[in-house]
Amino acid sequence: MTSQGPVLSPAVAGHSHRADTSIDGAVRLGGAARSGLLGFLGLCLVATVVGLVVWWPPGGVTEHVADQAGQGAQFAAPGVTFPVGTVESVGSPCTDGVPDGSGCGSLRVKVPAEDGAPARTVEVQVSPDVLAAGLERGDRVELVRTPHVEGGSDGASYAFFGIKRGGTLAWLAVVFAAVVLAVARWRGLFALIGLAFGGAVVWWFLLPALFDGAPGVGVALVSSSAIMMVVLYLTHGVSYRTSVALAGTLIGITLTALMGLVAIGHAHLTGISDEAGAMLASFDADLDFQSLLSCALVIAGLGVLNDVTITQASAAWELRALSPGATRAQVFASAMRIGRDHIASTIYTIVFAYVGTALVVLMLISIYDRPLLELLSTAQLAEEVVRTLVTSIGLVLAVPITTAVAAVVAAPVPGAERPDEMPLPAHAH
């Protein structure tokens, strides 16, 4: 190999997560570093299993909330039902928003037979934003049926509850799965299975454990570790390269959790900044919302951490395979040049993802006659700013940590020619 450096494979010049087993076999591993890596991951596995056993809740989410909040956890009063009907006609918006008896601001909905009552067509008032959503004849809506109210033709009254969107969500999910499978094939299938496993951990362990009073940071670390151990190996294959990415991810998760605890305490965030938080507090007054916020910070950083750590591990492995004689410092420096570009693009992703989801809130506060810095200090925005900055700090620190671990584990080959430098394209990441 000449001093000009190796010719880079597409996996290094671009953004690759591929699990090429030929590359894994071409890389020499340092004995002590490999043992240290396996020992660290073994300790993490033991800690994860212990955490799952200790904090595994005796009941599910619904059972625990019912025990804690009693009747307050019921979604509606006894006897109230939620029939789904078909829209037969849509009224025009009312002048000045006030119904005038002409059917304005209302929907005529055909309700199926229920509880011995025959099928009927009812008229329900809706808000202007519902009319603006573009409802048409044949659309499905959900109503609230309250029995034994004077004035109803069958002793019941009806009110609008919401639009049924299950069909749209279903075809979007099908298209998403089809696109993933068509483009990523087996890797896509494994990714979807991993995603389903992550959702199962959140629903059947993380949420019930939080309701059961387990510490938020501990539950988040255990859940994240369990998810990443399965998802990374399932999606990217069982290899030392994947193990390096897993180690970097776990370290990044831990740093994010510690930084989150410090930031939440220093900013005096309560964890209750919106209507959903207040409603949850009314169901279970014993919940520690600062702890829940710490948990949310850790879970929010999982996706981006996984992305950067697997990329850095793959980059270091490719570089080592192409330059067996390069020093560990050379591999680290070259892989970090990839990582710096990746950091920049991922931070943009984090920030603008929040801007997109909070666009309406941002528009609302932009019309207030208050300085921007004061608005950022409000509870709702401060939580999101802390969430964004903490997860970004964990992301940035995970890049050099993962790269360093990969450079140490992927050892140089004794006697192989050592390149003077390992140049990379400036745009590579």
Side-chain angles (χ1 to χ4, degrees):
M1 188 174 295
T2 67
S3 61
Q4 298 300 314
V7 177
L8 296 175
S9 70
V12 176
H15 179 137
S16 173
H17 295 176
R18 69 185 180 90
D20 185 352
T21 55
S22 63
I23 294 295
D24 294 314
V27 172
R28 176 179 176 270
L29 304 176
R34 177 178 56 187
S35 299
L37 173 65
L38 294 179
F40 172 75
L41 293 180
L43 290 175
C44 291
L45 176 60
V46 171
T48 300
V49 172
V50 170
L52 288 170
V53 172
V54 171
W55 290 321
W56 192 271
V61 177
T62 306
E63 290 85 348
H64 182 76
V65 175
D67 291 339
Q68 290 291 100
Q71 296 300 314
Q74 293 185 357
F75 188 72
V80 173
T81 58
F82 298 85
V84 175
T86 304
V87 175
E88 292 193 336
S89 65
V90 180
S92 58
C94 297
T95 305
D96 298 327
V98 180
D100 56 10
S102 65
C104 68
S106 66
L107 301 176
R108 289 182 60 82
V109 181
K110 185 175 182 179
V111 182
E114 181 187 39
D115 295 336
R120 67 189 65 249
T121 298
V122 299
E123 185 172 305
V124 293
Q125 291 295 131
V126 296
S127 59
D129 58 291
V130 174
L131 295 178
L135 282 174
E136 298 177 346
R137 179 183 174 86
D139 287 336
R140 305 277 284 173
V141 295
E142 190 171 10
L143 306 180
V144 180
R145 179 182 181 272
T146 305
H148 308 303
V149 175
E150 185 177 354
S153 58
D154 65 345
S157 67
Y158 292 83
F160 178 79
F161 182 75
I163 302 171
K164 295 296 291 183
R165 301 179 175 91
T168 301
L169 300 181
W171 71 256
L172 275 177
V174 170
V175 172
F176 166 71
V179 170
V180 169
L181 293 174
V183 176
R185 299 182 182 178
W186 285 109
R187 290 294 168 197
L189 176 61
F190 294 145
L192 292 175
I193 295 174
L195 182 61
F197 174 79
V201 171
V202 169
W203 185 255
W204 277 292
F205 171 72
L206 185 142
L207 298 182
L210 292 175
F211 276 118
D212 204 46
V217 172
V219 170
L221 290 175
V222 169
S223 300
S224 301
S225 179
I227 292 171
M228 287 296 101
M229 286 180 179
V230 172
V231 168
L232 280 173
Y233 286 122
L234 181 64
T235 306
H236 303 287
V238 178
S239 67
Y240 282 102
R241 176 171 37 163
T242 306
S243 298
V244 167
L246 175 59
T249 302
L250 296 179
I251 294 173
I253 290 170
T254 303
L255 293 175
T256 300
L258 295 175
M259 182 63 66
L261 285 173
V262 173
I264 291 171
H266 194 269
H268 306 294
L269 296 175
T270 64
I272 304 177
S273 61
D274 55 17
E275 183 180 352
M279 185 178 299
L280 184 59
S282 69
F283 286 156
D284 194 339
D286 295 332
L287 286 175
D288 182 350
F289 280 86
Q290 283 191 323
S291 181
L292 297 185
L293 181 57
S294 300
C295 178
L297 289 178
V298 176
I299 299 301
L302 273 185
V304 290
L305 276 173
N306 172 31
D307 182 55
V308 298
T309 55
I310 195 67
T311 298
Q312 289 308 110
S314 293
W317 239 250
E318 293 272 2
L319 288 166
R320 170 57 71 201
L322 291 169
S323 297
T327 65
R328 288 182 170 93
Q330 286 177 314
V331 172
F332 175 81
S334 296
M336 277 303 298
R337 292 168 63 183
I338 300 173
R340 292 186 187 98
D341 281 345
H342 198 194
I343 286 172
S345 62
T346 307
I347 287 177
Y348 297 149
T349 301
I350 295 174
V351 174
F352 288 114
Y354 168 69
V355 172
T357 56
L359 185 60
V360 174
V361 175
L362 294 175
M363 291 179 66
L364 177 62
I365 66 172
S366 69
I367 65 177
Y368 292 154
D369 187 20
R370 291 184 62 192
L372 178 60
L373 291 180
E374 291 184 12
L375 291 172
L376 291 177
S377 295
T378 60
Q380 187 172 8
L381 285 183
E383 280 190 10
E384 296 303 332
V385 171
V386 168
R387 192 194 319 271
T388 301
L389 294 180
V390 167
T391 53
S392 296
I393 291 171
L395 159 72
V396 173
L397 292 178
V399 171
I401 290 171
T402 306
T403 306
V405 173
V408 170
V409 174
V413 175
E417 184 178 357
R418 179 180 299 178
D420 294 333
E421 59 180 5
M422 300 177 67
L424 289 174
H427 65 278
H429 68 278

